[in-house]
Amino acid sequence: MSSNVVIDCSGLGKRYRIGERERYRTLRDTIARATTRLLRRGEPHSEPPTVWALKDVSFQMRQGEVLGIIGRNGAGKSTLLKILSRITRPTSGRALIRGRVGSLLEVGTGFHSELTGRENIFLNGAILGMRRSEIVRRFDEIVAFAEIDEFLDTPVKRYSSGMYMRLAFAVAAHLDPEILIVDEVLAVGDAVFQKKCLGKMDEASQHGRTVLFVSHNMMAVESLCKSAIWLDHGSIHEAGPARDIVHKYLRSAQSPQVQKTWDPDDTAPGDMNVRLRRVAVRRADEGTDLITVRTPLAVEVHYAVLRPGQDLAVNLFAYNEEGVLIFSSDVRVGRLHPGKYCSTCHIPGDLLNAGTVSISVSITRDDAFALVEVQEAVAVDVEDSTHGRGTWYDRWPGVVRPILNWETEADRHGTSAVAAR
């Protein structure tokens, strides 16, 4: 391992026996195992099935690097962090670590519920191998960051989950471990706390400390990390620059229901007057990258007019994930001759909010009679964008998130400014 490599994982694998208990047991576990043996006496013995949570995972991290680990639930992310934090041993392979490790794997990790916040700060510092004088030197910073001043001498079992998380992160980040391992720190806490945590991790990396960051918040991973690893079913699916890996991961998860076609015509939605043939949503530009809130979209409605002389209108309704109507739009196509037609609705970029947008369509006659109605004909996943975000990492509130024009100027009708001396 070269001098600036602080984490070197080679062929890491972790196998679990399904239903097997850990080696350490309480009295309750011992009684439960004895009861199970009695109930199963006489049954044929068989080996419990196994599952590989990690398989042949290899990577290196250099000093000062911030690495993001992404993947679906069950991909092996937490297992990897537990191995690196020395909580569990790998079944195969090795993980060499150079430096003191501070881990934040879940709310309250390493805390004793009966001890106060003050006592837990010193306990965690001792676990990290720090001298009492070092802990005392950073104590005020930890308390200020966690914002628990008035509850410092209260047992942590009475803390809310948010207070737990603030204190746990403050301890892990301020007690100077060379390597900081963080698992889903953004899952608990408000937007202000998220901003502080991400800023602290960024500051830690700039001071030469190594950060391993697991999160489902792709915007935070893309903004904070220079490189990322995509885990899938316990193996490394792909690794590289964080932006590229995040976009590939999000594209793989996007909804495939971007188009729907009905064939043959006699089973398509509609009647003897008009029938729907196809509905599709696509990019309205020439790009091939991820569909984000900035991407212009086009919704195509293909239909067949079977009888002439009808005053027709094509209608579109866009809904968000909660079923709230985002907007509706229509086009009056008038009296069309029998034939096949396509009406396209253009949705500009910087209008939709992030999330899954479902599209319902209908074709009406004479502004009153619905000839065709299809609910949730297609859906598209719209991902967020880092453009213009600043230090905000959560989802923007609201049904839409347009970019509007703003102007700022001196208020000539307000209070007169005091001249500088």
Side-chain angles (χ1 to χ4, degrees):
M1 189 162 65
S2 62
S3 58
N4 63 342
V5 174
V6 294
I7 296 179
D8 185 7
C9 296
S10 177
L12 276 186
K14 180 62 179 180
R15 181 183 61 193
Y16 290 104
R17 295 185 184 275
I18 298 176
E20 184 179 55
R21 298 178 185 270
E22 297 289 342
R23 291 185 178 180
Y24 56 87
R25 293 196 297 271
T26 63
L27 176 61
R28 180 182 60 188
D29 294 330
T30 302
I31 295 173
R33 286 174 64 88
T35 303
T36 301
R37 284 197 299 268
L38 288 173
L39 292 175
R40 293 183 176 179
R41 180 175 293 176
E43 295 182 3
H45 177 73
S46 61
E47 288 294 325
T50 61
V51 60
W52 284 89
L54 284 180
K55 294 179 292 185
D56 194 27
V57 171
S58 301
F59 67 93
Q60 289 185 336
M61 286 187 68
R62 301 183 181 279
Q63 183 179 354
E65 183 179 356
V66 183
L67 176 68
I69 307 291
I70 63 175
R72 297 176 183 273
N73 291 331
K77 304 185 299 297
S78 295
T79 300
L80 173 61
L81 298 196
K82 287 178 180 178
I83 291 175
L84 297 179
S85 301
R86 305 302 195 212
I87 294 174
T88 187
R89 292 178 178 272
T91 305
S92 60
R94 60 180 175 82
L96 301 180
I97 300 175
R98 178 185 288 135
R100 190 163 53 196
V101 177
S103 300
L104 183 56
L105 302 187
E106 59 185 46
V107 177
T109 299
F111 279 12
H112 192 294
S113 62
E114 298 296 334
L115 299 182
T116 66
R118 183 190 304 274
E119 293 165 339
N120 271 293
I121 292 174
F122 282 92
L123 174 63
N124 273 258
I127 291 173
L128 285 173
M130 299 187 69
R131 298 184 182 90
R132 182 179 178 83
S133 58
E134 293 180 274
I135 303 172
V136 170
R137 191 177 71 250
R138 306 302 300 272
F139 186 85
D140 290 342
E141 292 180 53
I142 294 171
V143 175
F145 188 95
E147 300 175 1
I148 59 160
D149 309 58
E150 58 183 311
F151 304 103
L152 189 58
D153 293 307
T154 300
V156 297
K157 67 180 180 181
R158 297 194 174 94
Y159 285 12
S160 67
S161 59
M163 293 167 62
Y164 242 118
M165 177 59 76
R166 292 202 303 271
L167 181 58
F169 184 86
V171 170
H174 285 82
L175 292 184
D176 292 331
E178 287 86 2
I179 301 169
L180 183 60
I181 297 178
V182 183
D183 187 4
E184 283 298 352
V185 69
L186 301 180
V188 178
D190 55 27
V192 175
F193 173 69
Q194 294 176 16
K195 179 180 176 180
K196 288 174 65 173
C197 290
L198 291 165
K200 191 64 183 178
M201 286 190 284
D202 188 42
E203 177 188 327
S205 67
Q206 292 177 10
H207 285 80
R209 293 158 69 188
T210 305
V211 180
L212 193 62
F213 179 47
V214 168
S215 179
H216 288 289
N217 188 322
M218 295 298 105
M219 293 302 104
V221 172
E222 185 176 336
S223 300
L224 183 67
C225 306
K226 291 184 178 179
S227 55
I229 291 175
W230 173 3
L231 284 181
D232 185 38
H233 292 92
S235 300
I236 295 180
H237 181 78
E238 196 162 351
R243 177 179 174 83
D244 294 345
I245 299 302
V246 165
H247 281 220
K248 289 179 181 179
Y249 171 71
L250 289 175
R251 279 200 300 272
S252 73
Q254 283 200 313
S255 170
Q257 301 299 321
V258 293
Q259 64 176 346
K260 189 167 185 179
T261 303
W262 291 271
D263 190 45
D265 288 343
D266 58 355
T267 62
D271 57 15
M272 64 185 68
N273 298 291
V274 62
R275 287 194 182 276
L276 200 60
R277 298 178 55 242
R278 180 172 176 264
V279 179
V281 57
R282 59 173 174 79
R283 297 181 66 107
D285 57 13
E286 299 298 324
T288 58
D289 204 356
L290 188 70
I291 292 177
T292 72
V293 293
R294 309 202 71 201
T295 306
L297 300 175
V299 181
E300 299 175 350
V301 181
H302 299 256
Y303 53 96
V305 176
L306 305 178
R307 287 187 175 181
Q310 303 175 92
D311 191 11
L312 301 178
V314 180
N315 312 278
L316 179 147
F317 306 87
Y319 296 88
N320 67 9
E321 294 163 325
E322 288 77 35
V324 177
L325 179 65
I326 303 172
F327 67 85
S328 63
S329 184
D330 65 83
V331 58
R332 299 176 184 278
V333 297
R335 302 177 186 275
L336 299 175
H337 296 291
K340 295 179 180 179
Y341 297 90
C342 175
S343 297
T344 303
C345 177
H346 293 273
I347 303 174
D350 295 316
L351 172 65
L352 298 175
N353 207 342
T356 300
V357 178
S358 61
I359 305 293
S360 300
V361 298
S362 70
I363 300 177
T364 56
R365 182 188 70 192
D366 302 327
D367 293 332
F369 302 101
L371 304 177
V372 180
E373 286 184 296
V374 178
Q375 300 295 322
E376 300 181 358
V378 293
V380 61
D381 286 339
V382 179
E383 300 299 336
D384 216 325
S385 171
T386 56
H387 177 77
R389 272 190 158 267
T391 55
W392 177 263
Y393 293 95
D394 207 350
R395 177 174 173 171
W396 288 97
V399 178
V400 294
R401 50 171 296 181
I403 293 183
L404 305 177
N405 292 325
W406 283 67
E407 294 179 358
T408 302
E409 59 184 9
D411 186 356
R412 298 176 183 176
H413 304 289
T415 305
S416 300
V418 178
R421 295 180 180 178

